[in-house]
Amino acid sequence: MTKQQILNAIADKLALTRPVVSTGSSEPRDFLVKIIDRLGISEETARLTKPELASLIVVALGGEWDESCYSAGSTVTKVGLERILSELTFL
């Protein structure tokens, strides 16, 4: 699956509007915030980076987050997005 396909699957699972992956396959930050809101995770998100937001989601769902899940450019990797989707399958 591509990053876009993974994000589409996450959006469909949570009944969210599908996001559009920007140039360089970067996931939109606001989409990660929408996931947090939809899951009812109570955490201040304003100052968190995209990897920190994604980590919050995965860990709150009981998954593991590691260095393979994000890159130095504050981007969540395909592995990180797959972890979110994988943990959502248990909902």
Side-chain angles (χ1 to χ4, degrees):
M1 291 177 90
T2 66
K3 284 180 98 173
Q4 183 66 65
Q5 291 169 323
I6 296 166
L7 290 170
N8 289 348
I10 292 168
D12 294 348
K13 176 80 173 164
L14 296 174
L16 296 170
T17 301
R18 288 180 169 187
V20 177
V21 175
S22 66
T23 305
S25 297
S26 183
E27 64 293 328
R29 185 185 185 285
D30 67 321
F31 183 67
L32 296 172
V33 172
K34 288 177 184 176
I35 295 170
I36 290 168
D37 290 343
R38 180 58 52 98
L39 294 174
I41 299 169
S42 59
E43 181 78 27
E44 177 55 47
T45 59
R47 296 184 182 200
L48 298 179
T49 65
K50 290 189 292 184
E52 289 169 336
L53 292 168
S55 171
L56 180 65
I57 295 164
V58 171
V59 172
L61 292 171
E64 292 185 28
W65 187 262
D66 58 42
E67 291 82 23
S68 69
C69 298
Y70 60 93
S71 66
S74 191
T75 298
V76 179
T77 64
K78 183 178 169 185
V79 171
L81 294 176
E82 288 170 336
R83 296 237 178 125
I84 293 173
L85 181 58
S86 175
E87 292 304 319
L88 287 174
T89 61
F90 298 110
L91 290 182

